[in-house]
Amino acid sequence: MKQETFRGTIVYKTLEGGFYALHTQKAQHFTLKDLPTPFRRNGLIVDVTGYIDNNAITITQYGKVFIVSSVTIIDDSQVNPIGNPIGNPVKDPINKRL
């Protein structure tokens, strides 16, 4: 399978017990699979390398599944704890929205 690299923000989603997603610079959304534990940080800006699994079916319904093979941290200054209060949303500097 073809390896690809995307730059984006790791975001924790609470659906069905929670999962980690990637919001890319090009406004793509992926459900991340095999994201190593040290990178499971809400708001972390990264370069993620891996491949898109076009055959995967998930309950997340949040973009295609991206199988992670490596991660490089670009910026950790926007990391917020999971469960951040609604009054203090996580800023997504890649997509310039809250």
Side-chain angles (χ1 to χ4, degrees):
M1 298 201 178
K2 179 183 165 195
Q3 292 270 314
E4 298 182 70
T5 299
F6 295 98
R7 179 165 290 180
T9 304
I10 293 179
V11 180
Y12 181 76
K13 305 305 249 176
T14 59
L15 178 72
E16 292 293 327
F19 67 95
Y20 286 90
L22 181 73
H23 292 182
T24 73
Q25 288 179 313
K26 296 181 180 181
Q28 297 165 290
H29 295 107
F30 294 103
T31 295
L32 296 175
K33 183 174 179 195
D34 300 334
L35 180 66
T37 302
F39 304 105
R40 294 178 184 184
R41 298 168 60 199
N42 194 41
L44 187 66
I45 298 173
V46 296
D47 282 341
V48 178
T49 300
Y51 65 92
I52 297 170
D53 185 346
N54 289 309
N55 297 317
I57 298 172
T58 71
I59 60 166
T60 65
Q61 298 180 12
Y62 199 79
K64 294 183 178 183
V65 173
F66 190 79
I67 310 298
V68 176
S69 60
S70 68
V71 181
T72 302
I73 295 174
I74 303 303
D75 183 1
D76 66 357
S77 67
Q78 299 296 316
V79 172
N80 279 323
I82 294 169
N84 198 35
I86 291 175
N88 298 311
V90 173
K91 293 180 181 176
D92 183 347
I94 294 291
N95 293 311
K96 308 270 190 289
R97 56 182 131 135
L98 298 177

